[in-house]
Amino acid sequence: MESLWRKQCGEILSDQQEPASKETHRDVIVIGAGMAGLLTAYYLKEQGKNVLVLEAGRIASGQTERTTAKITSQHGLKYSELIKKVGVKKARLYAQANEAAIREYELLIKSKGIDCQFDKAPAYLYTLQQENLLREEAQAAVSLGIDAFFTKETELPFAVAGAVCFRGQAKFSPLEFIQYIASSLEIWEHTKVMAVRGHKVITEDAVMTADNIVVATHYPVFNVPGFYFVRLHQERSYVLALSGCDNIQGMYLGVDKGGLSFRQAGEYLLFGGSACRTGENDKGTAYESLVKAAQKLYPGSKEVTRWAAQDCMPHDGIPFIGRYSLFTPHLYVATGFQKWGMTSSMIAAKILRDEICGNRNPYKRLFSPRRINLRAGAGNFLHDVGMSVKGLSKGAFHRPSRDVGSLACGHGGIVTIDGKRYACYRDEEGKLHKISARCPHLGCELSWNPDEKSWDCPCHGSRFDIDGKLLDNPSKIDVK
């Protein structure tokens, strides 16, 4: 399940060589070598800062390689909701920040001559049944200064009830872009950060210090302070890269339940959907539903590759960018990008650069992790608390539905062995893979994901393979 970007680009290479001694001090240490971390490091270095990037795996090996790589200010049914929940002023700032991010990508790519398939393209929301919602969204976007309009004309292989078009949006190849950005940075790969204490960054085999530290690990991996585990949940969405489809110029996202995503990437169509909360794909039909839809809409198409992305969803619909908490003035965070990580990464890089360098930034307060938007986030907060309680209580009030002997080859499930609950998978050869049923992050019970043969945490989104190896944070360790 390799993304199209990884198939095309391969491994990202950094010219920096890791020194023999890891006892070091830097102006800034950035934790995480995805798009947000690397762009932050890049802009800080431009300001003369001595920056080191630490990455637990390989460069861009997390969510950055799994994106559909749309650079847009169009984020679903966003602006009508923002106006209602946080007011016109904040909604306008959100729109301006994202529009500015698109322009900054274009400026950087063109000024540096970065060959990354960058292309300006319109972005559309479409509906098969909710015309009024999209008319309202178009009006809201225009009122905030976005170049948008309502239409019923699209390139899609079916008729729509309505669509909103945002002009002046963009798309690119994220790993080709990162190859340029990473080449000038000092990056230590395979260096997992286990803790931050004051100005100390503690890895598995070293202790380093920095004046300022940026946590750009997608989901914040340090629970206290910040308490992001009660402020975010994670969702997964699935993508097929198809050949043999008619080319489309625009980028499309359906707003109805089960809506699909369309985006051209060279000769391939990126065809996405099947979004669900992480840990709730226990039926294993995410890819199957996409394949059926592709066969119906594009009968002659062929699947080239498939993959899934995972996104952090903040309760009020606005990313967290800025100081990690009130009590850590030297520690910063960038998270909660929803499904719009490319644009949000640029916003984060500029805000964090300005915060650390003492520059003014007009968007700082809007994205501040210390904000309180009770009206905007109360419903999602209560739902997430309920999911956490449910995940933590499993085992105390739920009996497993099977014993280990009933587990068929190629299937996984929670079973009881000698009175204890385990997450077990029996492979095609009949070998049993047994790990604890509890996520090591905060103890929620794991859920089997048949599509990806992984154990997923429905509370906070950590994921593990059949032998307990960590696939996605916030957990920092494997399951035993």
Side-chain angles (χ1 to χ4, degrees):
M1 296 183 183
E2 187 176 49
S3 74
L4 180 66
W5 318 121
R6 186 62 72 184
K7 287 176 73 71
Q8 291 178 337
C9 194
E11 294 296 334
I12 305 296
L13 302 177
S14 172
D15 292 336
Q16 300 294 334
Q17 296 296 317
E18 187 175 325
S21 172
K22 289 189 177 181
E23 296 180 3
T24 187
H25 177 85
R26 294 289 189 276
D27 294 337
V28 184
I29 290 178
V30 176
I31 306 170
M35 186 65 78
L38 293 174
L39 277 176
T40 299
Y42 179 86
Y43 284 111
L44 284 169
K45 186 178 178 182
E46 275 198 335
Q47 294 291 303
K49 297 295 183 181
N50 186 0
V51 186
L52 171 63
V53 181
L54 303 179
E55 167 57 43
R58 298 299 306 273
I59 296 169
S61 60
Q63 300 311 312
T64 294
E65 73 165 289
R66 305 171 197 172
T67 176
T68 52
K70 301 172 183 176
I71 307 173
T72 72
S73 60
Q74 185 209 78
H75 296 170
L77 292 171
K78 173 63 69 174
Y79 295 105
S80 54
E81 285 297 305
L82 281 179
I83 289 172
K84 293 173 186 175
K85 292 183 176 181
V86 301
V88 172
K89 182 178 179 180
K90 290 181 180 179
R92 181 172 288 113
L93 282 172
Y94 185 94
Q96 291 172 345
N98 282 278
E99 288 282 298
I102 299 169
R103 294 192 297 270
E104 185 63 27
Y105 269 113
E106 184 174 16
L107 175 64
L108 178 58
I109 289 167
K110 289 185 176 179
S111 65
K112 301 300 182 181
I114 305 172
D115 184 8
C116 61
Q117 304 178 47
F118 180 83
D119 187 29
K120 297 297 287 290
Y124 293 78
L125 297 176
Y126 73 88
T127 181
L128 304 184
Q129 55 196 22
Q130 303 181 81
E131 177 182 338
N132 289 340
L133 276 182
L134 290 193
R135 287 190 180 276
E136 182 182 358
E137 182 66 16
Q139 291 171 358
V142 170
S143 74
L144 300 175
I146 295 172
D147 186 3
F149 63 92
F150 179 85
T151 182
K152 293 189 177 183
E153 301 296 324
T154 74
E155 308 159 272
L156 296 172
F158 47 81
V160 302
V164 179
C165 175
F166 281 34
R167 297 185 181 97
Q169 312 296 290
K171 55 187 178 178
F172 70 154
S173 170
L175 298 196
E176 290 177 340
F177 175 81
I178 279 180
Q179 179 65 78
Y180 174 86
I181 298 296
S183 65
S184 64
L185 298 175
E186 184 180 15
I187 304 169
W188 294 0
E189 298 179 299
H190 304 297
T191 305
K192 181 182 287 188
V193 174
M194 303 306 295
V196 170
R197 295 174 186 159
H199 290 270
K200 294 181 179 179
V201 177
I202 302 167
T203 71
E204 292 175 304
D205 57 359
V207 177
M208 290 161 275
T209 60
D211 296 333
N212 292 285
I213 302 162
V214 175
V215 179
T217 55
H218 181 65
Y219 194 114
V221 292
F222 310 118
N223 292 329
V224 181
F227 299 96
Y228 291 95
F229 61 90
V230 296
R231 306 168 76 185
L232 299 165
H233 72 268
Q234 298 202 70
E235 293 184 3
R236 290 188 75 71
S237 52
Y238 297 81
V239 184
L240 306 179
L242 303 174
S243 65
C245 304
D246 293 337
N247 284 6
I248 59 173
Q249 298 301 311
M251 301 174 286
Y252 293 85
L253 176 66
V255 301
D256 304 325
K257 184 177 180 180
L260 300 168
S261 169
F262 304 76
R263 184 270 211 222
Q264 199 72 34
E267 63 184 294
Y268 304 110
L269 177 70
L270 304 189
F271 184 68
S274 299
C276 64
R277 186 185 178 110
T278 303
E280 292 190 344
N281 186 28
D282 55 339
K283 303 299 183 185
T285 58
Y287 284 122
E288 179 184 352
S289 64
L290 278 180
V291 169
K292 288 181 178 178
Q295 291 172 345
K296 179 180 178 181
L297 296 175
Y298 303 101
S301 65
K302 293 183 180 180
E303 181 182 323
V304 176
T305 189
R306 60 172 63 181
W307 70 94
Q310 184 150 302
D311 300 290
C312 294
M313 312 298 287
H315 295 153
D316 64 359
I318 301 172
F320 295 117
I321 303 167
R323 291 187 175 174
Y324 205 93
S325 77
L326 177 65
F327 308 104
T328 52
H330 62 284
L331 186 64
Y332 298 84
V333 68
T335 189
F337 293 171
Q338 303 155 94
K339 300 179 187 297
W340 313 104
M342 298 299 96
T343 327
S344 297
S345 289
M346 181 62 79
I347 295 171
K350 292 307 208 55
I351 290 176
L352 295 176
R353 177 202 63 185
D354 291 342
E355 285 240 18
I356 290 170
C357 295
N359 304 327
R360 180 184 175 276
N361 189 292
Y363 312 117
K364 170 183 172 180
R365 292 185 63 183
L366 175 67
F367 293 95
S368 171
R370 290 177 286 174
R371 69 180 183 268
I372 299 175
N373 290 327
L374 292 178
R375 183 172 61 170
N380 289 329
F381 170 75
L382 292 173
H383 179 73
D384 282 357
V385 168
M387 291 297 296
S388 294
V389 171
K390 180 180 177 181
L392 288 166
S393 66
K394 279 186 177 180
F397 304 106
H398 297 75
R399 295 183 63 83
S401 59
R402 65 184 73 183
D403 59 36
V404 68
S406 68
L407 200 60
C409 292
H411 292 270
I414 304 297
V415 302
T416 296
I417 301 175
D418 297 330
K420 295 183 179 180
R421 293 167 71 86
Y422 293 93
C424 293
Y425 170 71
R426 193 179 299 280
D427 64 27
E428 300 298 341
E429 286 71 43
K431 179 182 177 181
L432 187 69
H433 300 256
K434 181 184 74 171
I435 60 174
S436 170
R438 294 290 175 182
C439 175
H441 174 234
L442 287 174
C444 291
E445 186 165 279
L446 299 172
S447 175
W448 176 242
N449 177 347
D451 274 328
E452 300 174 86
K453 294 191 183 303
S454 63
W455 292 102
D456 301 353
C457 176
C459 294
H460 308 110
S462 298
R463 299 179 59 250
F464 310 87
D465 72 9
I466 58 174
D467 294 311
K469 182 179 178 181
L470 180 65
L471 299 174
D472 284 301
N473 59 21
S475 178
K476 299 192 292 290
I477 61 174
D478 300 338
V479 180
K480 302 298 184 183

